[in-house]
Amino acid sequence: MDSSRQLHLGAFMRPVSIHTGAWRYPGAYPDANFNFRHLRDFALRLEAAKFDAFFMADHLAVLNMPPDALKRSHTVTSFEPFTLLSALAGATEKIGLVATASTTFDEPFHIARRFASLDHLSGGRAGWNIVTTANPDAALNFGYESQMDHDARYERAREFYDVVTGLWDSFADDAFLWDVEQGIVFDPRRMHVLNHKGESFSVRGPLNIARPVQGWPVIVQAGASEAGRRLAAQTAEVIFGAEASLTGGKAFYADIHQRMAALGRDPRSLKILPAAFVVVGDTVADAQAKRAHLDSLVHYDSGIGSLNGMLDYDVSGYDPDGPLPDIPATNTSKSQQQRILDLARAEHLTIRQLAQKAGSYAGLAFVGTPQTIADEMEQWLTEEGSDGFNVMFPYLPGGLEDMVEQVVPELQRRGIFRRDYTGTTLRDHLGLARPENAFFQQK
Amino acid sequence: MDSSRQLHLGAFMRPVSIHTGAWRYPGAYPDANFNFRHLRDFALRLEAAKFDAFFMADHLAVLNMPPDALKRSHTVTSFEPFTLLSALAGATEKIGLVATASTTFDEPFHIARRFASLDHLSGGRAGWNIVTTANPDAALNFGYESQMDHDARYERAREFYDVVTGLWDSFADDAFLWDVEQGIVFDPRRMHVLNHKGESFSVRGPLNIARPVQGWPVIVQAGASEAGRRLAAQTAEVIFGAEASLTGGKAFYADIHQRMAALGRDPRSLKILPAAFVVVGDTVADAQAKRAHLDSLVHYDSGIGSLNGMLDYDVSGYDPDGPLPDIPATNTSKSQQQRILDLARAEHLTIRQLAQKAGSYAGLAFVGTPQTIADEMEQWLTEEGSDGFNVMFPYLPGGLEDMVEQVVPELQRRGIFRRDYTGTTLRDHLGLARPENAFFQQK
């Protein structure tokens, strides 16, 4: 393997913590997820620590939980990604800004245009996390009776991607002349009219904005299903992974790289960054105690809501101290559902135990000292379990401060994380090439 | 009339100048419309001059012009409104931020959410300019073969407005408790599920963001057709007017106020701000010379493109030095088309003359010294032709500087424009009440 490989670090910032007890932790800002001054401060600290990107998940509905669970969710009120990231673009200078946007409930012209605009406003720092929106309640907010089925969502996503990237290439990079003397703004021969007509979309184009600074904003994906992996191997430049163990991570890494090889893609053109929940302590025992205290702040009503959401099945009528019933296959995010089912099976957990894990965070976690956490991160990197991580903080601002003040310096000392940015765009940070325009060669 | 009435001033900033020769004026920034640093600087200057709002028009397609006209348009590449205004929200503190958003090619859930998010990010400074999108080319970018007809667009707009405002009221103002001790974020009895089912939309809700700071962002409209006036009298809080003369302005003002009275609306709940193109000189002759020079920079190919766009009819095949042919009634913005037809008839203009006017700006213009301009503005205010203006600059930065450094101080000296902001929200600046929540009384 390439011994010069370094970690790439994203910060998972919507919600600012995935942990449903986070807002109740002693010293935490309860409203950290919905306070722009705090979010701006977090973005500036992450930039000072040279993180690759600030990453926003998204939901197109209030989470589908019963009121007794929902009322305990610190994420029920949240900023919309394009507006928040654009506001942060004005406050920061280097950090990448990755917004989640749905291919199921939006229009390719809007999405292409907003990302192009964010990329220009931020000097080339935009990334698009492509999601197909698993939450069935979202469909009800967009005129549908029920959610489109999983594979149909992915087929639509693939065509959506083709339209968006085609629209980004509406103008050659050198199309704009600003020739005041002749009164010519751009060369119309360097403008492409897409004229897309496909199964799901008819979009003429051109886009009414110049080609993005990065050519295309960075393409990010999270799907771990067969359809998700296929789409990612074809199109993703970053995968926001969900593997909870190094063994699983290595298998996923190998699988995606095999798929890319079969497609003739350069393996360096894709970075795999699993989500990692990071809890830092002075000792391992101290970190574990912090996590245990945090987990104790998850109310059962909240945990069961999270569990139902992940399973896409209501288990609240079953005995909390009994096992999970059989869960029918559903239309939801398969990776999330499978992770819970695997965990229940492997550790023989009751519904109550699973609920606390679901509300706490049941995925990959690094809980220890800066040294042990750096050890684990380095092992994932060197053994090709990942190219870095999308870090989730246990509570804010403390958990973020621990990461940037203690773990990042340790990673830098080991030479596996940058001490400064070497470029200005998100592509620069990730070591990704700028895509050529599909319709125009550079003159 | 109320002698304490004062002017309200918006700045029409997308495009930064409506004049197609603006980018070629000596000393102008050619790319002023697509340079974020410039736009941030303009916003800060307008805020220092205590403008009510920064106003963005929008287009959902490249302007429908032949390439020879299009290539001369400084607006062919532009920022998308939500991303630009959000970035400006972070850079400014007081000025209102009005974004145009289409009810024909977007979803009420998205629009409600983005405006709510912008309103929270900006501390209550968002306004929504409701448009139905007249440009027929926009339809081709959203899967339609042709544009929806004018009246159908307005029916859809009315329902869209009902859904958006209903979604903004998803949470009572006092719904969020952030009770760390009990682990309760909000009171679910203070959340309303809209369950809208209408002709054009089915939207369940609730919106996944707290009620906007302003209750509702300020509702702005520009339509001058019968359907547009009806919708405005029912719903608008600001009308972006298009009357080119004080006589027309007074008639429009009276008509809208009669419609409001018939509906039982308080006349103070709506401000009428016509577009006004302002050219400042040391003498009236100097200002007229500036304007003439600016008009001379409009290329015929560009002017004819603007004219065709306003007419929604291609007249480029007719004798440039002959009169307009009969123009068929079309599906476009009726106010814009009628303005050109009225002008052609009143001044017996040829196609060439009309093309230069169309490319230059054929509507209301104040061309003179700071004193004569203030005289005219004051006359419009006192004679109830308007409540202020949406100022269009002839070129940037010079035209903006002339306005804020010369005209605004003269208006302030006369006591008809604020010397400082007295509140923090756009509603405060405009003197508009905060709407009550339709579903919850304040406790």
Side-chain angles (χ1 to χ4, degrees), chain A residues 132 150-151 153-154 221-233 239 242-243 252 255-256 259 330-336 338:
Chain A
T132 68
H150 184 273
D151 288 353
R153 291 206 310 273
Y154 273 89
Q221 272 169 70
S225 67
E226 175 58 30
R229 288 177 190 220
R230 198 164 53 229
L231 183 63
I239 295 180
E243 296 297 334
F252 182 76
D255 177 63
I256 294 293
R259 290 169 189 261
T330 74
N331 207 3
T332 191
S333 159
K334 296 201 189 299
S335 47
Q336 210 174 46
Q338 197 57 48

PDB file of all heavy atoms in Angstrom, chain A residues 132 150-151 153-154 221-233 239 242-243 252 255-256 259 330-336 338:
ATOM      1  N   THR A 132     -31.286   9.098  -1.141  1.00  0.00           N
ATOM      2  CA  THR A 132     -32.559   8.803  -1.792  1.00  0.00           C
ATOM      3  C   THR A 132     -33.718   8.941  -0.809  1.00  0.00           C
ATOM      4  O   THR A 132     -34.861   8.727  -1.182  1.00  0.00           O
ATOM      5  CB  THR A 132     -32.572   7.390  -2.400  1.00  0.00           C
ATOM      6  OG1 THR A 132     -32.554   6.439  -1.334  1.00  0.00           O
ATOM      7  CG2 THR A 132     -31.375   7.164  -3.316  1.00  0.00           C
ATOM      8  N   HIS A 150     -37.232   0.960  -2.801  1.00  0.00           N
ATOM      9  CA  HIS A 150     -35.790   1.177  -2.643  1.00  0.00           C
ATOM     10  C   HIS A 150     -35.054   1.176  -3.980  1.00  0.00           C
ATOM     11  O   HIS A 150     -34.295   2.101  -4.293  1.00  0.00           O
ATOM     12  CB  HIS A 150     -35.255   0.090  -1.702  1.00  0.00           C
ATOM     13  CG  HIS A 150     -33.806   0.211  -1.364  1.00  0.00           C
ATOM     14  ND1 HIS A 150     -32.819  -0.339  -2.159  1.00  0.00           N
ATOM     15  CD2 HIS A 150     -33.177   0.833  -0.336  1.00  0.00           C
ATOM     16  CE1 HIS A 150     -31.644  -0.065  -1.613  1.00  0.00           C
ATOM     17  NE2 HIS A 150     -31.830   0.634  -0.512  1.00  0.00           N
ATOM     18  N   ASP A 151     -35.273   0.165  -4.805  1.00  0.00           N
ATOM     19  CA  ASP A 151     -34.519   0.084  -6.050  1.00  0.00           C
ATOM     20  C   ASP A 151     -34.948   1.160  -7.044  1.00  0.00           C
ATOM     21  O   ASP A 151     -34.115   1.694  -7.786  1.00  0.00           O
ATOM     22  CB  ASP A 151     -34.628  -1.318  -6.659  1.00  0.00           C
ATOM     23  CG  ASP A 151     -33.812  -2.335  -5.848  1.00  0.00           C
ATOM     24  OD1 ASP A 151     -33.092  -1.919  -4.928  1.00  0.00           O
ATOM     25  OD2 ASP A 151     -33.903  -3.535  -6.149  1.00  0.00           O
ATOM     26  N   ARG A 153     -35.905   4.100  -6.202  1.00  0.00           N
ATOM     27  CA  ARG A 153     -35.242   5.320  -5.733  1.00  0.00           C
ATOM     28  C   ARG A 153     -33.809   5.387  -6.270  1.00  0.00           C
ATOM     29  O   ARG A 153     -33.333   6.434  -6.663  1.00  0.00           O
ATOM     30  CB  ARG A 153     -35.212   5.371  -4.199  1.00  0.00           C
ATOM     31  CG  ARG A 153     -36.569   5.574  -3.547  1.00  0.00           C
ATOM     32  CD  ARG A 153     -36.459   6.241  -2.166  1.00  0.00           C
ATOM     33  NE  ARG A 153     -35.508   5.633  -1.259  1.00  0.00           N
ATOM     34  CZ  ARG A 153     -35.783   4.618  -0.444  1.00  0.00           C
ATOM     35  NH1 ARG A 153     -36.991   4.074  -0.433  1.00  0.00           N
ATOM     36  NH2 ARG A 153     -34.863   4.149   0.379  1.00  0.00           N
ATOM     37  N   TYR A 154     -33.115   4.246  -6.264  1.00  0.00           N
ATOM     38  CA  TYR A 154     -31.725   4.252  -6.737  1.00  0.00           C
ATOM     39  C   TYR A 154     -31.627   4.425  -8.246  1.00  0.00           C
ATOM     40  O   TYR A 154     -30.694   5.055  -8.736  1.00  0.00           O
ATOM     41  CB  TYR A 154     -30.978   3.006  -6.239  1.00  0.00           C
ATOM     42  CG  TYR A 154     -30.392   3.268  -4.884  1.00  0.00           C
ATOM     43  CD1 TYR A 154     -31.114   3.013  -3.722  1.00  0.00           C
ATOM     44  CD2 TYR A 154     -29.140   3.873  -4.743  1.00  0.00           C
ATOM     45  CE1 TYR A 154     -30.602   3.313  -2.480  1.00  0.00           C
ATOM     46  CE2 TYR A 154     -28.617   4.177  -3.504  1.00  0.00           C
ATOM     47  CZ  TYR A 154     -29.339   3.893  -2.365  1.00  0.00           C
ATOM     48  OH  TYR A 154     -28.826   4.214  -1.138  1.00  0.00           O
ATOM     49  N   GLN A 221     -21.585   9.715  -0.984  1.00  0.00           N
ATOM     50  CA  GLN A 221     -22.720   8.815  -0.829  1.00  0.00           C
ATOM     51  C   GLN A 221     -22.572   7.964   0.410  1.00  0.00           C
ATOM     52  O   GLN A 221     -21.464   7.722   0.869  1.00  0.00           O
ATOM     53  CB  GLN A 221     -22.858   7.906  -2.046  1.00  0.00           C
ATOM     54  CG  GLN A 221     -23.696   8.525  -3.136  1.00  0.00           C
ATOM     55  CD  GLN A 221     -23.588   7.741  -4.406  1.00  0.00           C
ATOM     56  OE1 GLN A 221     -24.081   6.639  -4.504  1.00  0.00           O
ATOM     57  NE2 GLN A 221     -22.896   8.305  -5.361  1.00  0.00           N
ATOM     58  N   ALA A 222     -23.703   7.462   0.898  1.00  0.00           N
ATOM     59  CA  ALA A 222     -23.680   6.670   2.125  1.00  0.00           C
ATOM     60  C   ALA A 222     -24.307   5.299   1.972  1.00  0.00           C
ATOM     61  O   ALA A 222     -24.170   4.475   2.861  1.00  0.00           O
ATOM     62  CB  ALA A 222     -24.396   7.417   3.253  1.00  0.00           C
ATOM     63  N   GLY A 223     -24.982   5.030   0.905  1.00  0.00           N
ATOM     64  CA  GLY A 223     -25.735   3.779   0.778  1.00  0.00           C
ATOM     65  C   GLY A 223     -24.852   2.550   0.863  1.00  0.00           C
ATOM     66  O   GLY A 223     -23.783   2.512   0.261  1.00  0.00           O
ATOM     67  N   ALA A 224     -25.270   1.550   1.610  1.00  0.00           N
ATOM     68  CA  ALA A 224     -24.497   0.331   1.775  1.00  0.00           C
ATOM     69  C   ALA A 224     -25.221  -0.886   1.220  1.00  0.00           C
ATOM     70  O   ALA A 224     -24.708  -1.991   1.254  1.00  0.00           O
ATOM     71  CB  ALA A 224     -24.175   0.112   3.248  1.00  0.00           C
ATOM     72  N   SER A 225     -26.415  -0.709   0.712  1.00  0.00           N
ATOM     73  CA  SER A 225     -27.140  -1.807   0.061  1.00  0.00           C
ATOM     74  C   SER A 225     -26.448  -2.149  -1.254  1.00  0.00           C
ATOM     75  O   SER A 225     -25.558  -1.440  -1.707  1.00  0.00           O
ATOM     76  CB  SER A 225     -28.573  -1.368  -0.226  1.00  0.00           C
ATOM     77  OG  SER A 225     -28.576  -0.333  -1.199  1.00  0.00           O
ATOM     78  N   GLU A 226     -26.895  -3.215  -1.896  1.00  0.00           N
ATOM     79  CA  GLU A 226     -26.337  -3.579  -3.199  1.00  0.00           C
ATOM     80  C   GLU A 226     -26.492  -2.413  -4.181  1.00  0.00           C
ATOM     81  O   GLU A 226     -25.532  -2.021  -4.853  1.00  0.00           O
ATOM     82  CB  GLU A 226     -27.043  -4.837  -3.729  1.00  0.00           C
ATOM     83  CG  GLU A 226     -26.644  -5.260  -5.134  1.00  0.00           C
ATOM     84  CD  GLU A 226     -25.147  -5.530  -5.306  1.00  0.00           C
ATOM     85  OE1 GLU A 226     -24.487  -5.943  -4.327  1.00  0.00           O
ATOM     86  OE2 GLU A 226     -24.635  -5.281  -6.418  1.00  0.00           O
ATOM     87  N   ALA A 227     -27.691  -1.854  -4.245  1.00  0.00           N
ATOM     88  CA  ALA A 227     -27.916  -0.734  -5.170  1.00  0.00           C
ATOM     89  C   ALA A 227     -27.063   0.469  -4.783  1.00  0.00           C
ATOM     90  O   ALA A 227     -26.535   1.175  -5.645  1.00  0.00           O
ATOM     91  CB  ALA A 227     -29.401  -0.348  -5.178  1.00  0.00           C
ATOM     92  N   GLY A 228     -26.921   0.689  -3.479  1.00  0.00           N
ATOM     93  CA  GLY A 228     -26.117   1.804  -3.001  1.00  0.00           C
ATOM     94  C   GLY A 228     -24.649   1.623  -3.337  1.00  0.00           C
ATOM     95  O   GLY A 228     -23.973   2.559  -3.781  1.00  0.00           O
ATOM     96  N   ARG A 229     -24.129   0.396  -3.153  1.00  0.00           N
ATOM     97  CA  ARG A 229     -22.720   0.131  -3.457  1.00  0.00           C
ATOM     98  C   ARG A 229     -22.449   0.267  -4.961  1.00  0.00           C
ATOM     99  O   ARG A 229     -21.410   0.783  -5.377  1.00  0.00           O
ATOM    100  CB  ARG A 229     -22.340  -1.284  -3.018  1.00  0.00           C
ATOM    101  CG  ARG A 229     -22.256  -1.437  -1.514  1.00  0.00           C
ATOM    102  CD  ARG A 229     -21.946  -2.876  -1.129  1.00  0.00           C
ATOM    103  NE  ARG A 229     -22.094  -3.050   0.312  1.00  0.00           N
ATOM    104  CZ  ARG A 229     -21.265  -3.790   1.060  1.00  0.00           C
ATOM    105  NH1 ARG A 229     -20.264  -4.457   0.508  1.00  0.00           N
ATOM    106  NH2 ARG A 229     -21.464  -3.889   2.354  1.00  0.00           N
ATOM    107  N   ARG A 230     -23.393  -0.191  -5.757  1.00  0.00           N
ATOM    108  CA  ARG A 230     -23.228  -0.116  -7.214  1.00  0.00           C
ATOM    109  C   ARG A 230     -23.147   1.357  -7.647  1.00  0.00           C
ATOM    110  O   ARG A 230     -22.264   1.739  -8.398  1.00  0.00           O
ATOM    111  CB  ARG A 230     -24.408  -0.822  -7.886  1.00  0.00           C
ATOM    112  CG  ARG A 230     -24.173  -1.189  -9.341  1.00  0.00           C
ATOM    113  CD  ARG A 230     -25.198  -2.222  -9.833  1.00  0.00           C
ATOM    114  NE  ARG A 230     -26.567  -1.795  -9.577  1.00  0.00           N
ATOM    115  CZ  ARG A 230     -27.508  -2.550  -9.004  1.00  0.00           C
ATOM    116  NH1 ARG A 230     -27.240  -3.782  -8.618  1.00  0.00           N
ATOM    117  NH2 ARG A 230     -28.724  -2.064  -8.823  1.00  0.00           N
ATOM    118  N   LEU A 231     -24.077   2.148  -7.126  1.00  0.00           N
ATOM    119  CA  LEU A 231     -24.078   3.570  -7.472  1.00  0.00           C
ATOM    120  C   LEU A 231     -22.800   4.246  -6.984  1.00  0.00           C
ATOM    121  O   LEU A 231     -22.186   5.046  -7.698  1.00  0.00           O
ATOM    122  CB  LEU A 231     -25.317   4.255  -6.864  1.00  0.00           C
ATOM    123  CG  LEU A 231     -25.511   5.735  -7.202  1.00  0.00           C
ATOM    124  CD1 LEU A 231     -25.717   5.937  -8.694  1.00  0.00           C
ATOM    125  CD2 LEU A 231     -26.699   6.313  -6.436  1.00  0.00           C
ATOM    126  N   ALA A 232     -22.380   3.887  -5.768  1.00  0.00           N
ATOM    127  CA  ALA A 232     -21.175   4.497  -5.200  1.00  0.00           C
ATOM    128  C   ALA A 232     -19.945   4.145  -6.023  1.00  0.00           C
ATOM    129  O   ALA A 232     -19.099   5.003  -6.305  1.00  0.00           O
ATOM    130  CB  ALA A 232     -20.998   4.063  -3.749  1.00  0.00           C
ATOM    131  N   ALA A 233     -19.828   2.880  -6.416  1.00  0.00           N
ATOM    132  CA  ALA A 233     -18.647   2.464  -7.188  1.00  0.00           C
ATOM    133  C   ALA A 233     -18.593   3.186  -8.524  1.00  0.00           C
ATOM    134  O   ALA A 233     -17.524   3.475  -9.058  1.00  0.00           O
ATOM    135  CB  ALA A 233     -18.667   0.953  -7.405  1.00  0.00           C
ATOM    136  N   ILE A 239     -17.287   7.981   0.228  1.00  0.00           N
ATOM    137  CA  ILE A 239     -18.368   7.181   0.801  1.00  0.00           C
ATOM    138  C   ILE A 239     -18.369   7.413   2.307  1.00  0.00           C
ATOM    139  O   ILE A 239     -17.342   7.265   2.970  1.00  0.00           O
ATOM    140  CB  ILE A 239     -18.219   5.676   0.504  1.00  0.00           C
ATOM    141  CG1 ILE A 239     -18.358   5.411  -1.002  1.00  0.00           C
ATOM    142  CG2 ILE A 239     -19.282   4.873   1.272  1.00  0.00           C
ATOM    143  CD1 ILE A 239     -18.230   3.943  -1.375  1.00  0.00           C
ATOM    144  N   ALA A 242     -20.628   2.973   7.033  1.00  0.00           N
ATOM    145  CA  ALA A 242     -21.376   2.663   8.254  1.00  0.00           C
ATOM    146  C   ALA A 242     -20.876   1.409   8.940  1.00  0.00           C
ATOM    147  O   ALA A 242     -21.521   0.906   9.852  1.00  0.00           O
ATOM    148  CB  ALA A 242     -22.860   2.513   7.914  1.00  0.00           C
ATOM    149  N   GLU A 243     -19.730   0.886   8.546  1.00  0.00           N
ATOM    150  CA  GLU A 243     -19.256  -0.365   9.150  1.00  0.00           C
ATOM    151  C   GLU A 243     -18.837  -0.122  10.597  1.00  0.00           C
ATOM    152  O   GLU A 243     -18.136   0.842  10.895  1.00  0.00           O
ATOM    153  CB  GLU A 243     -18.075  -0.921   8.344  1.00  0.00           C
ATOM    154  CG  GLU A 243     -18.453  -1.323   6.932  1.00  0.00           C
ATOM    155  CD  GLU A 243     -19.468  -2.459   6.885  1.00  0.00           C
ATOM    156  OE1 GLU A 243     -19.521  -3.259   7.854  1.00  0.00           O
ATOM    157  OE2 GLU A 243     -20.211  -2.546   5.880  1.00  0.00           O
ATOM    158  N   PHE A 252     -15.744  -4.047   3.406  1.00  0.00           N
ATOM    159  CA  PHE A 252     -16.450  -3.032   2.612  1.00  0.00           C
ATOM    160  C   PHE A 252     -15.461  -2.300   1.693  1.00  0.00           C
ATOM    161  O   PHE A 252     -15.718  -2.098   0.505  1.00  0.00           O
ATOM    162  CB  PHE A 252     -17.141  -2.037   3.557  1.00  0.00           C
ATOM    163  CG  PHE A 252     -17.945  -0.984   2.854  1.00  0.00           C
ATOM    164  CD1 PHE A 252     -19.179  -1.288   2.306  1.00  0.00           C
ATOM    165  CD2 PHE A 252     -17.460   0.315   2.724  1.00  0.00           C
ATOM    166  CE1 PHE A 252     -19.931  -0.311   1.638  1.00  0.00           C
ATOM    167  CE2 PHE A 252     -18.198   1.295   2.065  1.00  0.00           C
ATOM    168  CZ  PHE A 252     -19.432   0.973   1.526  1.00  0.00           C
ATOM    169  N   ASP A 255     -14.524  -4.544  -1.112  1.00  0.00           N
ATOM    170  CA  ASP A 255     -15.653  -4.718  -2.042  1.00  0.00           C
ATOM    171  C   ASP A 255     -15.795  -3.516  -2.974  1.00  0.00           C
ATOM    172  O   ASP A 255     -15.918  -3.657  -4.190  1.00  0.00           O
ATOM    173  CB  ASP A 255     -16.948  -4.932  -1.251  1.00  0.00           C
ATOM    174  CG  ASP A 255     -18.171  -5.040  -2.163  1.00  0.00           C
ATOM    175  OD1 ASP A 255     -18.216  -5.990  -2.968  1.00  0.00           O
ATOM    176  OD2 ASP A 255     -19.044  -4.156  -2.092  1.00  0.00           O
ATOM    177  N   ILE A 256     -15.756  -2.327  -2.399  1.00  0.00           N
ATOM    178  CA  ILE A 256     -15.911  -1.121  -3.223  1.00  0.00           C
ATOM    179  C   ILE A 256     -14.741  -0.995  -4.198  1.00  0.00           C
ATOM    180  O   ILE A 256     -14.925  -0.677  -5.379  1.00  0.00           O
ATOM    181  CB  ILE A 256     -16.013   0.137  -2.322  1.00  0.00           C
ATOM    182  CG1 ILE A 256     -17.303   0.104  -1.491  1.00  0.00           C
ATOM    183  CG2 ILE A 256     -15.926   1.408  -3.156  1.00  0.00           C
ATOM    184  CD1 ILE A 256     -18.594   0.231  -2.279  1.00  0.00           C
ATOM    185  N   ARG A 259     -15.193  -3.356  -7.063  1.00  0.00           N
ATOM    186  CA  ARG A 259     -16.201  -2.843  -8.010  1.00  0.00           C
ATOM    187  C   ARG A 259     -15.604  -1.724  -8.865  1.00  0.00           C
ATOM    188  O   ARG A 259     -15.869  -1.633 -10.057  1.00  0.00           O
ATOM    189  CB  ARG A 259     -17.416  -2.309  -7.248  1.00  0.00           C
ATOM    190  CG  ARG A 259     -18.258  -3.383  -6.572  1.00  0.00           C
ATOM    191  CD  ARG A 259     -19.277  -2.746  -5.612  1.00  0.00           C
ATOM    192  NE  ARG A 259     -19.958  -3.734  -4.799  1.00  0.00           N
ATOM    193  CZ  ARG A 259     -21.177  -4.220  -5.060  1.00  0.00           C
ATOM    194  NH1 ARG A 259     -21.850  -3.811  -6.111  1.00  0.00           N
ATOM    195  NH2 ARG A 259     -21.725  -5.114  -4.269  1.00  0.00           N
ATOM    196  N   THR A 330     -38.371  -4.070   4.824  1.00  0.00           N
ATOM    197  CA  THR A 330     -39.112  -2.851   4.515  1.00  0.00           C
ATOM    198  C   THR A 330     -38.351  -2.060   3.473  1.00  0.00           C
ATOM    199  O   THR A 330     -37.353  -2.517   2.930  1.00  0.00           O
ATOM    200  CB  THR A 330     -39.289  -1.962   5.756  1.00  0.00           C
ATOM    201  OG1 THR A 330     -38.027  -1.358   6.037  1.00  0.00           O
ATOM    202  CG2 THR A 330     -39.774  -2.760   6.949  1.00  0.00           C
ATOM    203  N   ASN A 331     -38.852  -0.874   3.300  1.00  0.00           N
ATOM    204  CA  ASN A 331     -38.391   0.021   2.241  1.00  0.00           C
ATOM    205  C   ASN A 331     -37.345   1.004   2.748  1.00  0.00           C
ATOM    206  O   ASN A 331     -36.926   1.896   2.047  1.00  0.00           O
ATOM    207  CB  ASN A 331     -39.654   0.766   1.774  1.00  0.00           C
ATOM    208  CG  ASN A 331     -39.546   1.209   0.351  1.00  0.00           C
ATOM    209  OD1 ASN A 331     -38.558   0.911  -0.308  1.00  0.00           O
ATOM    210  ND2 ASN A 331     -40.536   1.935  -0.105  1.00  0.00           N
ATOM    211  N   THR A 332     -36.912   0.830   4.004  1.00  0.00           N
ATOM    212  CA  THR A 332     -36.058   1.833   4.631  1.00  0.00           C
ATOM    213  C   THR A 332     -34.592   1.637   4.251  1.00  0.00           C
ATOM    214  O   THR A 332     -34.245   0.752   3.468  1.00  0.00           O
ATOM    215  CB  THR A 332     -36.225   1.794   6.165  1.00  0.00           C
ATOM    216  OG1 THR A 332     -35.601   2.935   6.740  1.00  0.00           O
ATOM    217  CG2 THR A 332     -35.603   0.529   6.755  1.00  0.00           C
ATOM    218  N   SER A 333     -33.709   2.442   4.828  1.00  0.00           N
ATOM    219  CA  SER A 333     -32.265   2.310   4.639  1.00  0.00           C
ATOM    220  C   SER A 333     -31.843   0.938   5.139  1.00  0.00           C
ATOM    221  O   SER A 333     -31.945   0.632   6.328  1.00  0.00           O
ATOM    222  CB  SER A 333     -31.551   3.391   5.441  1.00  0.00           C
ATOM    223  OG  SER A 333     -30.212   3.017   5.684  1.00  0.00           O
ATOM    224  N   LYS A 334     -31.353   0.093   4.227  1.00  0.00           N
ATOM    225  CA  LYS A 334     -31.069  -1.288   4.610  1.00  0.00           C
ATOM    226  C   LYS A 334     -29.857  -1.385   5.530  1.00  0.00           C
ATOM    227  O   LYS A 334     -29.787  -2.250   6.395  1.00  0.00           O
ATOM    228  CB  LYS A 334     -30.846  -2.127   3.351  1.00  0.00           C
ATOM    229  CG  LYS A 334     -32.096  -2.211   2.483  1.00  0.00           C
ATOM    230  CD  LYS A 334     -32.063  -3.389   1.543  1.00  0.00           C
ATOM    231  CE  LYS A 334     -33.204  -3.330   0.536  1.00  0.00           C
ATOM    232  NZ  LYS A 334     -34.539  -3.353   1.159  1.00  0.00           N
ATOM    233  N   SER A 335     -28.882  -0.500   5.348  1.00  0.00           N
ATOM    234  CA  SER A 335     -27.669  -0.608   6.147  1.00  0.00           C
ATOM    235  C   SER A 335     -27.970  -0.382   7.629  1.00  0.00           C
ATOM    236  O   SER A 335     -27.467  -1.089   8.494  1.00  0.00           O
ATOM    237  CB  SER A 335     -26.626   0.394   5.657  1.00  0.00           C
ATOM    238  OG  SER A 335     -27.199   1.665   5.487  1.00  0.00           O
ATOM    239  N   GLN A 336     -28.827   0.611   7.901  1.00  0.00           N
ATOM    240  CA  GLN A 336     -29.145   0.952   9.270  1.00  0.00           C
ATOM    241  C   GLN A 336     -29.932  -0.186   9.956  1.00  0.00           C
ATOM    242  O   GLN A 336     -29.624  -0.586  11.075  1.00  0.00           O
ATOM    243  CB  GLN A 336     -30.007   2.212   9.242  1.00  0.00           C
ATOM    244  CG  GLN A 336     -29.867   3.080  10.417  1.00  0.00           C
ATOM    245  CD  GLN A 336     -30.649   4.378  10.207  1.00  0.00           C
ATOM    246  OE1 GLN A 336     -31.789   4.358   9.768  1.00  0.00           O
ATOM    247  NE2 GLN A 336     -30.042   5.481  10.540  1.00  0.00           N
ATOM    248  N   GLN A 338     -29.997  -3.343   9.106  1.00  0.00           N
ATOM    249  CA  GLN A 338     -29.178  -4.545   9.246  1.00  0.00           C
ATOM    250  C   GLN A 338     -28.214  -4.427  10.418  1.00  0.00           C
ATOM    251  O   GLN A 338     -27.961  -5.403  11.126  1.00  0.00           O
ATOM    252  CB  GLN A 338     -28.413  -4.798   7.933  1.00  0.00           C
ATOM    253  CG  GLN A 338     -27.858  -6.213   7.805  1.00  0.00           C
ATOM    254  CD  GLN A 338     -28.956  -7.263   7.932  1.00  0.00           C
ATOM    255  OE1 GLN A 338     -30.001  -7.167   7.300  1.00  0.00           O
ATOM    256  NE2 GLN A 338     -28.745  -8.258   8.795  1.00  0.00           N
TER     257      GLN A 338
END
